[in-house]
Amino acid sequence: MAMLPLVLHWFFIEWYSGKKSSSALLQHLTALLECSVAALVTLLLSDPVGSLHIRSCAVKKLSDWYTMLYNPSPDYITTVHCTHEAVYPLYTIVFIYYAFCLVLMMLLRPLLVKKIACGLGRSDRFKSIYAALYFFPILTVLQAVGGGLLYYAFPYIILVLSLVTLAVYMSASEVEFFKDLLVRKKRLVVLFSHWLLHAYGIISISKLDKLEQDLPLLALVPAPALFYLMTAKYTEPSRILSEGGNGH
């Protein structure tokens, strides 16, 4: 949940910056700075204050995340709202982090975009900021409703989404051969970013309990990209249509 704002910032900056805009890189770096500072401040303000460590209650079951559903009703009529966060601060720390991300974005990004985004129209240059004003409330609701489910399922979600987005990006960018990746440095950056997400998902699932068994799994990180590059030329729509026409 901490990585999602940064990934979405980068996606919308890239989406709205335009191919010829030279401001995208600075906006990417600014988004990284915003999220990094927000994460640092959030950790420093959490218990114990002033430390990068977190003192947290252990998570034993899914219901620990939804204590508000277990408020007692002594007379079966009146509900006593006395429950507290059983997984403190794993549930609320995300909301604090999002608040700092939003504040830092509103302080830094508009000034930067106004100065450097000269290649874009007046209405287009702030669209990545407007997008953040939409996805932050969505992420907040997602954490509030599905925080417990995400706690258990996030490694698998990361793996599936990173595989899907990598395939979509390579297809949209018309990457079919290794040389296509070398044409633009941005494609390599996107590829390596997805590889980091693959590795993070594998490590989160295995937890590296047994290094001699789990570390070799990291060798599978480049496998999806290699499989795509080896099979993309056989699934090109124009080739399939031409072969179908020749068959008839």
Side-chain angles (χ1 to χ4, degrees):
M1 295 305 289
M3 289 191 299
L4 274 177
L6 180 59
V7 173
L8 290 173
H9 275 316
W10 283 349
F11 172 80
F12 285 110
I13 288 171
E14 195 65 37
W15 185 268
Y16 291 118
S17 63
K19 295 182 178 180
K20 297 182 179 180
S21 176
S22 59
S23 66
L25 179 59
L26 282 176
Q27 291 187 65
H28 286 315
L29 293 176
T30 305
L32 177 61
L33 177 65
E34 294 164 5
C35 294
S36 301
V37 172
L40 185 63
V41 173
T42 303
L43 289 175
L44 290 175
L45 292 179
S46 301
D47 186 42
V49 178
S51 172
L52 294 179
H53 297 281
I54 293 179
R55 186 181 293 117
S56 172
C57 301
V59 181
K60 297 181 180 179
K61 51 187 177 180
L62 181 62
S63 59
D64 290 344
W65 289 83
Y66 303 103
T67 54
M68 73 287 293
L69 302 178
Y70 297 92
N71 286 308
S73 301
D75 55 359
Y76 299 100
I77 298 175
T78 305
T79 301
V80 180
H81 298 279
C82 60
T83 55
H84 297 275
E85 184 181 353
V87 295
Y88 178 85
L90 301 181
Y91 187 75
T92 53
I93 196 172
V94 176
F95 302 127
I96 299 171
Y97 167 72
Y98 286 167
F100 281 120
C101 283
L102 191 58
V103 170
L104 289 171
M105 181 194 72
M106 296 306 296
L107 290 176
L108 300 178
R109 196 87 62 83
L111 297 176
L112 176 73
V113 171
K114 187 175 181 180
K115 288 188 176 181
I116 65 175
C118 301
L120 299 174
R122 185 175 295 274
S123 60
D124 293 336
R125 61 178 66 179
F126 294 106
K127 281 188 175 180
S128 62
I129 300 176
Y130 297 152
L133 298 179
Y134 281 98
F135 69 67
F136 268 119
I138 293 173
L139 291 178
T140 301
V141 173
L142 184 63
Q143 169 68 10
V145 175
L149 298 173
L150 292 170
Y151 178 80
Y152 290 101
F154 80 91
Y156 308 97
I157 295 174
I158 286 176
L159 276 180
V160 172
L161 289 182
S162 60
L163 290 173
V164 171
T165 54
L166 179 61
V168 171
Y169 176 79
M170 296 180 77
S171 175
S173 302
E174 299 181 350
V175 176
E176 295 183 3
F177 304 97
F178 291 100
K179 62 180 181 180
D180 295 333
L181 289 172
L182 303 176
V183 173
R184 300 181 64 182
K185 294 181 180 179
K186 184 177 71 173
R187 292 177 179 175
L188 288 176
V189 172
V190 173
L191 178 63
F192 290 140
S193 300
H194 279 83
W195 282 0
L196 286 176
L197 289 175
H198 296 345
Y200 183 73
I202 292 173
I203 292 172
S204 300
I205 292 173
S206 65
K207 298 181 181 178
L208 296 182
D209 293 330
K210 298 180 180 179
L211 290 179
E212 65 278 4
Q213 295 181 8
D214 298 335
L215 281 180
L217 293 175
L218 295 179
L220 297 173
V221 167
L226 295 176
F227 177 79
Y228 180 92
L229 292 173
M230 289 188 294
T231 58
K233 58 184 178 181
Y234 300 112
T235 58
E236 186 179 357
S238 59
R239 176 175 178 172
I240 296 173
L241 292 174
S242 62
E243 290 180 354
N246 293 335
H248 288 298

